[in-house]
Amino acid sequence: MNPEKARYYQVFLDQDLFGDWTLVKIWGGIGSNRGRMHSTGVESYEAGIELVDEIARRRSQRGYTCASPTGRS
């Protein structure tokens, strides 16, 4: 979440019924119904975690703060 710009960004890994891993990204304005979502298949859980870490690093550089996995800071 970036409170200065009233924006949020979520990223998580999800495993489907076939055992494949998907990286899901959700972003938008806080209080707006106009957010977006994008999902991308990843080769493995480990590859997905590397992408999550890279995204977290970039978002941190842009002023976003990490929330706990449950959504509570």
Side-chain angles (χ1 to χ4, degrees), residues 39-60:
S39 60
T40 305
V42 293
E43 292 183 23
S44 65
Y45 176 80
E46 291 78 15
I49 289 296
E50 287 181 23
L51 287 172
V52 168
D53 290 343
E54 181 181 325
I55 291 167
R57 183 185 52 79
R58 282 195 318 253
R59 292 294 142 191
S60 177

Side-chain angles (χ1 to χ4, degrees), residues 13-71:
L13 283 174
D14 193 27
Q15 191 174 33
D16 65 17
L17 295 174
F18 301 107
D20 296 327
W21 288 98
T22 303
L23 179 74
V24 180
K25 299 182 278 188
I26 303 169
W27 67 92
I30 296 172
S32 170
N33 293 331
R34 300 185 61 123
R36 304 257 180 166
M37 182 178 101
H38 183 266
S39 60
T40 305
V42 293
E43 292 183 23
S44 65
Y45 176 80
E46 291 78 15
I49 289 296
E50 287 181 23
L51 287 172
V52 168
D53 290 343
E54 181 181 325
I55 291 167
R57 183 185 52 79
R58 282 195 318 253
R59 292 294 142 191
S60 177
Q61 291 173 343
R62 294 182 178 180
Y64 286 77
T65 57
C66 285
S68 69
T70 60

